[in-house]
Amino acid sequence: ISVTDLVNESYTRINAVEDKVKAFVTLDEERARQAAKEMDEALGTDNANGLLFGMPIGVKDNIVTKGLRTTCSSKMLANLDPIYDATVVQKLQGAQAITIGKLNMDEFAMGSSNENSGFFPTRNPWNLDYVPGGSSGGSAASVAAGEVLFSLGSDTGGSIRQPAAYCGVVGMKPTYGRVSRYGLVAFASSLDQIGPITRNVEDNAYLLQAIAGVDKMDATSAHVDVAKYVESLTGDVKGLKIGVPKEYLGDGVGEEARQSVLEALKVLEGMGATWEEVTLPHSKYALATYYLLSSSEASSNLSRFDGIRYGVRTDNAENLVDIYKNTRSEGFGDEVKRRIMLGTFALSSGYYDAYYKKAQKVRTLIKQDFENVFEKYDVIIGPTTPTTSFKLGEKTSDPMTMYANDILTIPVNLAGVPAISLPCGFGANGMPLGLQIIGKHFDESTIYRVAHAFE
Ligand code: GLN
């Protein structure tokens, strides 16, 4: 099979299903076909040894791509044509993957269902009435629908793992600092992390290996060697100690999700692992802490979209203040405005100590919860989400029930630790469930080892 065949396969599938799934905002067909041609010419030479040679990949639309429109699914950036490639995109090119196009998302990565996209919602390929999750909904749906083999998403508060769970694919949020954020449009900089979404664990390990590593363009990227993750796919979990937080199987978590996790634990026990109930006592504050901190960071990060520095400038302004005001009023959707208002309020003088500073302290307690458990256990296991996917429109009227979706994924971002979501059976509605495996800082290898035991 040639690279051209692979790329053909990808666009054929896109042509067949994309009008229903709507995973892509922009396709890059001409350049992808050209790249495939060049790779086929290189076949059999030394110029054909990239880790992802010829593999079709989709990239979330908040990761900048030189000469390829990057919108964050926002009207604000509808015409942004970046002048550089994100570090992960350069690394994909180095690994000889082929970018097929840019994937739909909730606007500026704020959302859990893709319904906040400024353009159109992506649908869940398992059932088009259901949401694919978010914010990396296009990334998960494109892989689940077979449009691409790999995709990149970003995860600030669950946005890789939750859509991976809802779409029945594998999604990894790496340790904070594992993957460079240079060229990722910032939402909440202390939480954002880029990661791989794939059909299976092995592909996932390859893709992380290709994109991970320290980067001089991102001062928060870590000086920690990148392991050869594929070498940890031994399936050996003998002697592994698993902690299962009681908060992840208790109130608010659906029976189906609970049962599927207990089944998975049985499988691991059968292979020689042991598990015990543990506690992450500050989990109940995670949602409030996350929405306070992430909105505060967002209110600052999104100030650059003013129609002068970035953003589609309003036609309707007579002076500078009007340019700012009208550009932002017209360009941002409701959810983005809600977060900016929340964050601006939390950071305003007089409230800073009561909200932002307090949330920072709670974040430390949440991080310590994980450290305590990891003193005795190798990994933490629980469901990725409390339930399976829901129908489009079901939760749009109430932001609070939408936010509650992220209750099991958000603590991981606050602690900065890595976690994967794997397919783990189906609910009564026929929609996939996800198993979440959480590891120690920079110990993605153990997560992959445990995850691979299910394949
Ligand atoms: N649903 C969360 C939010 O809306 C997750 C976002 C993310 O991880 N990018 O903030």
Side-chain angles (χ1 to χ4, degrees):
I1 181 165
S2 69
V3 179
T4 301
D5 290 338
L6 270 178
V7 169
N8 274 342
E9 191 64 38
S10 201
Y11 286 108
T12 304
R13 184 75 187 148
I14 288 170
N15 286 333
V17 301
E18 188 55 16
D19 62 332
K20 299 189 201 83
V21 177
K22 293 177 168 293
F24 285 89
V25 175
T26 308
L27 291 168
D28 197 19
E29 188 162 351
E30 209 172 298
R31 290 202 303 188
R33 288 192 186 280
Q34 182 57 33
K37 213 171 122 210
E38 283 162 22
M39 281 186 203
D40 279 331
E41 282 158 16
L43 262 176
T45 74
D46 283 352
N47 295 330
N49 51 13
L51 195 59
L52 303 173
F53 182 82
M55 294 292 144
I57 185 165
V59 176
K60 187 175 180 178
D61 212 16
N62 59 351
I63 297 172
V64 302
T65 41
K66 187 175 174 179
L68 179 61
R69 190 168 82 118
T70 300
T71 67
C72 293
S73 292
S74 179
K75 295 196 174 72
M76 182 65 96
L77 295 182
N79 61 4
L80 180 74
D81 184 11
I83 55 171
Y84 68 101
D85 279 318
T87 296
V88 290
V89 172
Q90 290 172 24
K91 286 191 174 238
L92 288 179
Q93 283 160 4
Q96 298 184 295
I98 296 188
T99 302
I100 294 295
K102 303 298 293 288
L103 293 158
N104 197 20
M105 52 187 279
D106 287 294
E107 184 177 7
F108 285 106
M110 297 170 186
S112 308
S113 69
N114 241 264
E115 291 162 296
N116 294 340
S117 166
F119 305 135
F120 47 81
T122 295
R123 308 266 171 162
N124 193 311
W126 290 87
N127 181 334
L128 298 171
D129 294 336
Y130 284 76
V131 302
S135 63
S136 312
S139 303
S142 61
V143 171
E147 295 175 294
V148 283
L149 281 176
F150 301 83
S151 70
L152 291 183
S154 69
D155 192 315
T156 304
S159 278
I160 287 175
R161 291 160 288 152
Q162 185 255 26
Y166 282 5
C167 292
V169 294
V170 180
M172 168 72 108
K173 185 208 83 85
T175 309
Y176 184 78
R178 177 72 297 178
V179 176
S180 170
R181 292 182 295 110
Y182 180 65
L184 171 68
V185 178
F187 163 11
S189 316
S190 77
L191 299 158
D192 298 340
Q193 202 43 206
I194 296 171
I197 299 180
T198 56
R199 291 178 89 90
N200 62 44
V201 175
E202 187 181 0
D203 287 355
N204 208 279
Y206 272 111
L207 183 49
L208 181 60
Q209 203 168 306
I211 62 170
V214 68
D215 177 15
K216 68 176 191 308
M217 303 305 282
D218 174 6
T220 63
S221 69
H223 288 269
V224 178
D225 284 341
V226 180
K228 290 210 165 65
Y229 298 116
V230 272
E231 287 176 3
S232 58
L233 305 179
T234 58
D236 180 12
V237 295
K238 214 161 173 209
L240 185 90
K241 293 206 205 72
I242 304 165
V244 180
K246 63 171 196 263
E247 295 80 5
Y248 284 36
L249 294 180
D251 288 348
V253 176
E255 194 50 29
E256 291 176 337
R258 240 164 63 84
Q259 285 309 327
S260 75
V261 170
L262 293 172
E263 293 283 320
L265 289 168
K266 251 188 237 156
V267 172
L268 292 172
E269 265 180 332
M271 293 189 270
T274 54
W275 70 270
E276 282 173 334
E277 194 176 273
V278 298
T279 177
L280 298 170
H282 296 92
S283 295
K284 56 176 179 284
Y285 305 117
L287 214 55
T289 306
Y290 168 82
Y291 277 97
L292 201 291
L293 293 177
S294 65
S295 302
S296 297
E297 293 186 32
S299 72
S300 166
N301 276 327
L302 272 59
S303 65
R304 60 172 66 89
F305 304 107
D306 56 7
I308 303 287
R309 288 171 293 176
Y310 292 96
V312 176
R313 188 177 303 169
T314 181
D315 291 329
N316 159 32
E318 312 231 304
N319 56 50
L320 186 64
V321 173
D322 276 358
I323 291 183
Y324 294 154
K325 224 163 62 185
N326 296 342
T327 292
R328 290 168 72 81
S329 303
E330 292 161 18
F332 289 138
D334 287 350
E335 184 61 29
V336 175
K337 286 178 184 159
R338 187 178 294 126
R339 308 275 179 119
I340 292 173
M341 286 189 277
L342 268 172
T344 305
F345 177 77
L347 290 177
S348 54
S349 72
Y351 295 104
Y352 181 89
D353 283 0
Y355 296 117
Y356 186 78
K357 205 163 157 196
K358 193 171 211 173
Q360 290 285 34
K361 289 181 178 168
V362 182
R363 180 175 185 175
T364 302
L365 295 174
I366 290 168
K367 188 161 168 253
Q368 282 166 358
D369 282 355
F370 281 94
E371 281 162 8
N372 291 339
V373 173
F374 282 132
E375 270 176 25
K376 287 221 326 252
Y377 300 88
D378 302 306
V379 291
I380 294 173
I381 286 185
T384 308
T385 53
T387 62
T388 59
S389 172
F390 46 91
K391 288 192 173 155
L392 268 92
E394 206 177 304
K395 297 190 196 231
T396 33
S397 59
D398 179 6
M400 285 308 286
T401 57
M402 192 69 95
Y403 294 176
N405 235 285
D406 302 324
I407 197 142
L408 304 171
T409 41
I410 274 174
V412 165
N413 299 80
L414 291 168
V417 291
I420 205 167
S421 178
L422 299 179
C424 187
F426 294 86
N429 58 2
M431 302 306 285
L433 286 159
L435 180 75
Q436 186 172 209
I437 307 172
I438 306 169
K440 299 175 185 173
H441 281 107
F442 297 103
D443 193 15
E444 285 84 359
S445 294
T446 301
I447 296 180
Y448 281 130
R449 181 157 62 86
V450 181
H452 192 62
F454 291 97
E455 293 196 334

